């Protein structure tokens, strides 16, 4: 298999995962890549590896450029197994290689692979000379794990950013301008919402540390390499990490006999009347990982569930569990739903929205099948709390 040149003596040698459709719960309809990069100078460095089942592809692409046994250093920017999974095979093919990683990275690799490898540990500000080429390291803890760091080539102005700025896209194209920026930005947003969102403050620290660097290529560990839309993706990361939202609403719900859905549509109408663009999302037909990119940029998050066996519906509970873990901030939340007699679901949803630190609009809770008059009363300027007793 072929390697792809980024610049002179710098090659993409990663693996393309055409068939993956579920990445630990995140649906990846476009597949993904695990990007590894080869830097060739008097010394040779491999930056990151690939998932274990793509190790032959990685070795094949490396072999298209050099003999893998000549690799001197393997930089592990991140321990997670989508990037380190083929390390045992690569270390077998490059027996003289020394692993360059953070101190936390070394501990993580030992805990994963239980192997006696040679390490050089680095921290922010450290560098490694390959001859004419210098690798500089910046630690970026929690973007995405505590071990994360990025590698920067000052002369070549390339940032190897690992998970940051990644997208789950499998494609023959390697650069953002070859595929179309709409797709790449859309997938970068989905990646941020599903993977990076909990770590906004750490992303801001990383952006601050990277702001001093002169960058004309960002080479992440997933998806396309940024060379055309660098300022666009940096601006997006700045907004997303600050939890800045658009004046838009997402109305996310499940429904049993259509009553909660009627409330959802009444809310939709009410947001439209206020000039706030709403989006309706039924949990029966949308995967949770496709919904969180909508939450990423929405100021208003309304969640609806009828009561089922004294609880919210399992689909709603699953979504809220996922959302709570991703910890979006600075949102305005609302719980709504229909009920028959006990009616716990709306309060349960609201409790979780409160735990997430959302500002809360009054809940809407209607008994059995709402009347048109009740639905017509739903009005964002004057939200009323509807509780009609079963008896
Ligand atoms: Fe792509 Fe955190 O691994």
């Amino acid at each position: 298999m072929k390697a792809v040149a980024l610049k002179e003596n710098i090659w993409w040698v990663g693996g393309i995962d055409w068939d993956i459709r579920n990445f630990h719960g995140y649906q990846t309809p476009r597949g993904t890549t695990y990007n590894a990069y080869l830097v060739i100078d008097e010394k040779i460095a491999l930056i990151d590896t690939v998932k274990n089942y793509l190790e032959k592809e990685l070795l094949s692409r490396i072999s298209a450029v050099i003999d893998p046994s000549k690799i001197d250093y393997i930089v592990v920017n991140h321990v997670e197994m989508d990037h380190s999974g083929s390390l045992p095979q690569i270390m077998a093919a490059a027996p003289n290689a020394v692993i360059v990683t953070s101190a936390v990275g070394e501990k993580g690799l030992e805990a994963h692979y239980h192997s006696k490898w040679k390490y050089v540990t680095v921290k922010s500000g450290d560098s490694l000379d390959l001859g004419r080429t210098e690798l500089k390291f910046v630690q970026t803890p929690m973007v995405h794990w505590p071990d994360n760091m990025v590698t920067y080539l000052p002369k070549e102005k390339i940032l190897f950013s690992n998970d940051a700025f990644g997208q789950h896209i499998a494609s023959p194209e390697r650069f953002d301008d070859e595929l179309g920026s709409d797709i790449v930005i859309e997938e970068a947003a989905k990646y941020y919402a599903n993977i990076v969102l909990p770590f906004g403050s750490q992303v801001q620290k990383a952006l601050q540390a990277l702001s001093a660097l002169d960058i004309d290529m960002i080479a992440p560990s997933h998806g396309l390499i940024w060379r055309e839309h660098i300022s666009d993706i940096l601006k997006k990361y700045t907004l997303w990490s600050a939890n800045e939202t658009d004046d838009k609403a997402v109305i996310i719900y499940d429904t049993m006999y259509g009553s909660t859905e009627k409330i959802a549509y009444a809310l939709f109408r009410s947001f439209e009347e206020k000039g706030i663009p709403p989006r309706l999302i039924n949990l029966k037909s949308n995967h949770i990982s496709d919904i969180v990119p909508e939450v990423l940029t929405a100021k208003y998050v309304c969640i609806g569930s009828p009561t089922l066996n004294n609880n919210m519906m399992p689909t709603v509970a699953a979504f809220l569990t996922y959302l709570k873990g991703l910890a979006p901030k600075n949102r305005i939340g609302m719980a709504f739903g229909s009920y028959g007699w006990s009616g716990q679901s709306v309060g349960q949803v609201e409790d979780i929205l409160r735990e997430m630190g959302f500002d809360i609009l009054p809940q809407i809770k209607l008994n059995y099948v709402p009347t048109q008059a009740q639905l017509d009363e739903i009005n964002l300027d004057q939200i009323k709390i509807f509780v009609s007793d079963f008896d």
Side-chain angles (χ1 to χ4, degrees):
M1 287 187 170
K2 289 173 81 170
V4 177
L6 276 66
K7 296 201 175 185
E8 195 182 353
N9 291 325
I10 300 172
W11 300 85
W12 173 86
V13 289
I16 305 177
D17 202 342
W18 296 100
D19 294 328
I20 189 167
R21 292 293 177 268
N22 188 312
F23 199 111
H24 55 53
Y26 168 171
Q27 281 198 344
T28 52
R30 289 190 165 101
T32 195
T33 64
Y34 314 104
N35 295 335
Y37 301 95
L38 199 58
V39 182
I40 298 174
D41 202 326
E42 290 161 27
K43 298 282 186 184
I44 296 173
L46 176 68
I47 300 177
D48 291 319
T49 72
V50 298
K51 242 182 185 175
N52 61 348
Y53 52 80
L54 287 172
E55 118 261 354
K56 286 193 175 62
E57 184 169 331
L58 171 63
L59 282 169
S60 159
R61 293 189 198 280
I62 294 170
S63 301
V65 184
I66 50 127
D67 174 352
S69 70
K70 295 192 184 317
I71 294 172
D72 298 287
Y73 300 105
I74 300 176
V75 176
V76 175
N77 279 326
H78 181 24
V79 171
E80 192 168 0
M81 285 184 281
D82 51 335
H83 308 297
S84 72
S86 60
L87 205 47
Q89 292 82 2
I90 303 303
M91 288 302 283
N96 299 317
V98 173
I99 294 173
V100 181
T101 190
S102 64
V104 186
E106 179 180 347
K107 279 194 190 130
L109 290 172
E110 286 183 345
H112 276 76
Y113 300 106
H114 315 288
S115 292
K116 295 200 181 310
W117 293 326
K118 280 183 261 172
Y119 290 92
V120 173
T121 59
V122 292
K123 58 186 183 318
S124 288
D126 287 352
S127 58
L128 178 70
D129 238 327
L130 301 182
R132 295 173 309 281
T133 313
E134 182 189 23
L135 308 187
K136 293 193 77 152
F137 306 101
V138 179
Q139 289 175 278
T140 52
M142 299 317 298
V143 190
H144 158 225
W145 280 10
D147 49 78
N148 271 85
M149 64 180 200
V150 298
T151 301
Y152 175 61
L153 273 55
K155 201 161 59 128
E156 297 77 6
K157 302 181 184 175
I158 304 178
L159 177 71
F160 297 97
S161 62
N162 197 264
D163 279 343
F165 314 114
Q167 337 90 43
H168 282 321
I169 302 174
S171 67
E173 295 84 7
R174 297 272 69 79
F175 298 96
D176 58 347
D177 53 291
E178 296 174 336
L179 189 64
S181 62
D182 286 357
I183 294 173
V184 188
I185 294 274
E186 179 188 323
E187 289 294 342
K190 183 173 179 184
Y191 188 89
Y192 188 96
N194 280 280
I195 303 285
V196 190
L197 184 54
F199 312 115
S201 61
Q202 292 92 339
V203 170
Q204 289 187 323
K205 280 188 197 131
L207 288 171
Q208 181 63 33
L210 301 179
S211 66
L213 307 180
D214 190 6
I215 296 170
D216 68 16
M217 201 175 274
I218 298 178
S221 58
H222 297 289
L224 283 295
I225 297 162
W226 302 91
R227 66 180 178 188
E228 181 74 27
H229 298 283
I230 291 172
S231 64
D232 294 335
I233 190 61
L234 287 173
K235 272 187 213 147
K236 292 285 186 193
Y237 263 59
T238 303
L239 288 175
W240 297 334
S241 63
N243 274 282
E244 292 213 7
T245 53
D246 299 331
D247 204 23
K248 75 171 198 183
V250 284
I251 302 162
I252 301 156
Y253 67 97
D254 202 347
T255 194
M256 289 165 67
Y257 286 99
S259 293
T260 297
E261 187 166 64
K262 284 183 171 147
I263 305 171
Y265 273 79
L267 276 170
F268 178 90
R269 185 254 310 141
S270 190
F271 276 108
E272 270 193 332
E273 284 169 358
K274 286 285 287 179
I276 299 168
R279 184 175 287 269
L280 277 166
I281 302 175
N282 186 331
L283 282 159
K284 277 197 179 62
S285 42
N286 292 278
H287 191 265
I288 54 176
S289 64
D290 291 323
I291 300 172
V292 289
E294 297 296 338
V295 176
L296 180 66
T297 51
K299 183 192 282 185
Y300 299 92
V301 180
C302 305
I303 312 271
S305 177
T307 296
L308 174 68
N309 300 329
N310 298 334
N311 274 297
M312 68 183 92
M313 288 185 75
T315 45
V316 180
F319 174 70
L320 283 171
T321 300
Y322 193 63
L323 187 67
K324 193 175 171 191
L326 293 170
K329 294 180 175 56
N330 304 339
R331 267 64 172 186
I332 297 171
M334 176 199 275
F336 66 95
S338 72
Y339 73 105
W341 50 102
S342 57
Q344 294 95 333
S345 64
V346 175
Q348 292 167 350
V349 169
E350 188 174 291
D351 285 348
I352 293 174
L353 296 177
R354 277 187 204 287
E355 284 168 28
M356 291 169 64
F358 287 15
D359 289 335
I360 301 294
L361 291 174
Q363 60 180 237
I364 300 173
K365 183 174 171 183
L366 295 173
N367 188 225
Y368 283 126
V369 179
T371 65
Q372 191 56 50
Q374 286 175 313
L375 294 172
D376 289 345
E377 268 194 81
I378 291 175
N379 169 347
L380 285 183
D381 288 325
Q382 206 171 6
I383 291 261
K384 293 182 179 175
I385 304 172
F386 297 96
V387 182
S388 44
D389 292 333
F390 179 59
D391 53 0

